[in-house]
Amino acid sequence: MSLIRRGFLWFIGALALGGSSRADEPKPAPSQPNPAPVISVRPRHVLCFLGRAHDLARLSEAARNAIGTVAKGFSVDTDYSQDEADDRMERSFAVCWDRVQPKAWTASDERAVAEHGSVLYVMGPPMTAETAVETSATALLLVQQLIQAGAVAVKGESAGIAHGLARWQELAAQAQAARQAVREAGDSLALGRICRLAFAKRPLEAKGYLESVGFHLVGLPEVYAPKSLGSERAVVALMDEVADEIARRGLEATLRERKASRSFASTYDEDEFKFNPYGIVRLQP
């Protein structure tokens, strides 16, 4: 069985556990970073679209049309998509809703999940650090088009993040505007930040730390910050600030200035979609 297929099986199984992030598992000691591993699997997006009853064919056709025009390299997964409700979805979305952005979802979004009648999975292509931001922007465009085609709820499985439909559409519109800035000025920082807010999950709580998952989807390491640095909101803002610094100034300069370290001691296996091959930046108390 391929690493990609095993990873898909893992996250399908995790749905039954409510989309567990595994953030409560013991973490390796931050003072003992391990060497950079040789990674054979590149990060990729797995997108979950919920539809109404018997809507799989229509959503699949819309996805394939979008893949043929604006999302080349993406593919519909026919093994796990289904033309019926999945009773694990309500619990999984409840765990995955974005709890950082105010009003990221509404009661109508929750009802749509509870009343869905079909499930479509779309896989993204393997990404390098250099192609991750552009591929993630394409994933947002695909999300936008599937919502227009009738998807009632959307979740990014590679980090376990869900937004309401209005928030997904807002992020997609922002990404398209930022893409124009990349074409005109070559500045991809804003686009990378929008894609990170769309597809990464934070904060996850571990013993003494708040953590991110999903920064690999824009080519960055995760950021782990001690809870002692402030309130949860303040620590999340710091995590985002550090990620912006890495994207703007580079990893080594950020590590030096922040007196931080990078570790590759992950609790995720290489064949799990949440595994970050770029490591973990650990901030100091």
Side-chain angles (χ1 to χ4, degrees):
M1 184 182 293
S2 70
L3 291 178
I4 292 300
R5 184 56 55 192
R6 289 210 307 274
F8 208 110
L9 286 170
W10 181 89
F11 92 74
I12 289 291
L15 289 176
L17 299 176
S20 172
S21 69
R22 293 175 41 171
D24 57 347
E25 293 187 3
K27 295 292 184 293
S31 61
Q32 299 294 326
N34 57 329
V38 177
I39 305 302
S40 59
V41 178
R42 293 175 179 175
R44 66 189 305 183
H45 284 280
V46 181
L47 303 173
C48 172
F49 299 92
L50 303 187
R52 297 177 177 86
H54 310 301
D55 224 9
L56 180 61
R58 186 161 68 92
L59 288 180
S60 297
E61 181 181 8
R64 291 189 175 96
N65 288 339
I67 289 167
T69 55
V70 298
K72 296 185 184 301
F74 285 73
S75 61
V76 170
D77 189 279
T78 57
D79 291 335
Y80 296 102
S81 299
Q82 60 185 56
D83 201 22
E84 59 185 5
D86 185 333
D87 60 10
R88 299 169 294 184
M89 286 297 169
E90 192 170 0
R91 185 179 179 191
S92 179
F93 268 78
V95 172
C96 293
W97 290 122
D98 177 5
R99 300 184 187 277
V100 175
Q101 177 69 22
K103 300 180 180 179
W105 81 97
T106 66
S108 62
D109 291 307
E110 292 182 294
R111 284 195 300 272
V113 173
E115 298 170 2
H116 79 281
S118 54
V119 184
L120 172 70
Y121 290 105
V122 175
M123 305 279 290
M127 301 181 293
T128 65
E130 292 72 27
T131 64
V133 169
E134 180 61 24
T135 303
S136 291
T138 298
L140 269 176
L141 181 58
L142 183 62
V143 167
Q144 183 181 50
Q145 297 210 0
L146 267 289
I147 290 173
Q148 293 171 353
V152 299
V154 183
K155 177 154 55 79
E157 297 288 1
S158 298
I161 184 68
H163 311 282
L165 294 189
R167 176 59 175 162
W168 278 118
Q169 291 174 307
E170 178 185 38
L171 288 162
Q174 291 175 355
Q176 294 315 302
R179 256 181 164 173
Q180 185 62 34
V182 174
R183 288 191 288 267
E184 293 175 355
D187 183 1
S188 63
L189 293 178
L191 181 59
R193 190 173 204 278
I194 293 163
C195 292
R196 194 178 76 243
L197 295 178
F199 292 115
K201 176 76 171 176
R202 79 263 190 268
L204 303 176
E205 187 170 350
K207 189 174 183 180
Y209 273 82
L210 294 178
E211 308 175 354
S212 70
V213 61
F215 284 9
H216 59 310
L217 301 173
V218 290
L220 298 177
E222 304 301 342
V223 178
Y224 288 9
K227 290 192 288 186
S228 60
L229 292 178
S231 68
E232 182 173 291
R233 185 169 294 276
V235 174
V236 168
L238 176 61
M239 294 163 67
D240 286 338
E241 181 182 308
V242 171
D244 287 338
E245 287 180 10
I246 296 171
R248 183 177 66 254
R249 303 179 60 227
L251 176 61
E252 295 305 322
T254 303
L255 292 177
R256 285 196 302 272
E257 184 169 311
R258 294 280 181 177
K259 295 181 174 58
S261 62
R262 180 167 66 154
S263 169
F264 289 89
S266 176
T267 57
Y268 301 107
D269 295 331
E270 291 181 19
D271 57 358
E272 295 177 23
F273 288 108
K274 292 179 180 179
F275 178 79
N276 190 326
Y278 313 117
I280 300 159
V281 170
R282 292 180 177 273
L283 303 181
Q284 300 302 312

